[in-house]
Amino acid sequence: MNDLPRPPRVPPLAVAAIVFVAMWTITRVAPSFAFDFGGRRLAALELLLLAAAIGLAGAGSFRRARTTVNPLQPDRASALVTTGIYRYTRNPMYVAVALALLAWSVYLGHALALLGAVAFVAWMDRRQIPAEEHALRGLFGADFERY
């Protein structure tokens, strides 16, 4: 039996899309968990803009390093990116998606919708990131370990 982590066959953005729809659905199924506060939509927009900035910074760093952003094939990475936003987080694009889902939950104004962002983070932490880190460890060895 092979215990090596393998990247899931579902792209992270597809996982996010599924979670996005599930979050909206839960607002319809359990309306009693709705909440509202002044500035809710503005807070959602601010979170979304932060998500966009972080995601674009991560993707831009990968583009400048001329390495793949394909999360289904982490073994094809041609560079270990440790500069720019990657000085602060190893997964800025996933942080961006999680923030976008958090923005969506705030926009929806529903307490249970917040679980969508949590579910996305849990999926990435348990399924996607271990496979990526395994591939990067194999490609970049001690450099990845130092990072």
Side-chain angles (χ1 to χ4, degrees):
M1 183 156 110
N2 188 353
D3 290 338
L4 298 177
R6 294 183 183 196
R9 293 179 186 221
V10 181
L13 289 180
V15 172
I18 292 165
V19 169
F20 181 93
V21 171
M23 292 166 71
W24 178 84
T25 302
I26 196 105
T27 67
R28 302 303 181 246
V29 173
S32 62
F33 289 91
F35 64 84
D36 198 8
F37 61 89
R40 178 172 55 88
R41 287 194 169 107
L42 179 59
L45 178 61
E46 289 170 341
L47 283 168
L48 187 59
L49 291 173
L50 178 61
I54 291 171
L56 290 171
S61 292
F62 269 33
R63 181 174 289 266
R64 282 187 295 282
R66 293 193 165 114
T67 192
T68 183
V69 297
N70 185 346
L72 301 182
Q73 298 176 326
D75 55 332
R76 292 196 176 172
S78 60
L80 180 64
V81 181
T82 61
T83 60
I85 193 139
Y86 286 88
R87 287 180 294 185
Y88 307 104
T89 175
R90 291 202 312 207
N91 298 290
M93 290 180 266
Y94 299 153
V95 169
V97 174
L99 282 172
L101 290 170
L102 181 61
W104 177 232
S105 71
V106 170
Y107 177 81
L108 291 171
H110 196 277
L112 293 179
L114 292 168
L115 296 176
V118 173
F120 176 79
V121 169
W123 173 267
M124 299 311 294
D125 185 57
R126 300 282 189 250
R127 298 283 301 150
Q128 185 69 41
I129 293 170
E132 291 178 5
E133 289 181 346
H134 175 75
L136 294 174
R137 196 170 282 111
L139 289 170
F140 303 108
D143 288 340
F144 179 76
E145 291 301 328
R146 276 190 299 278
Y147 174 60

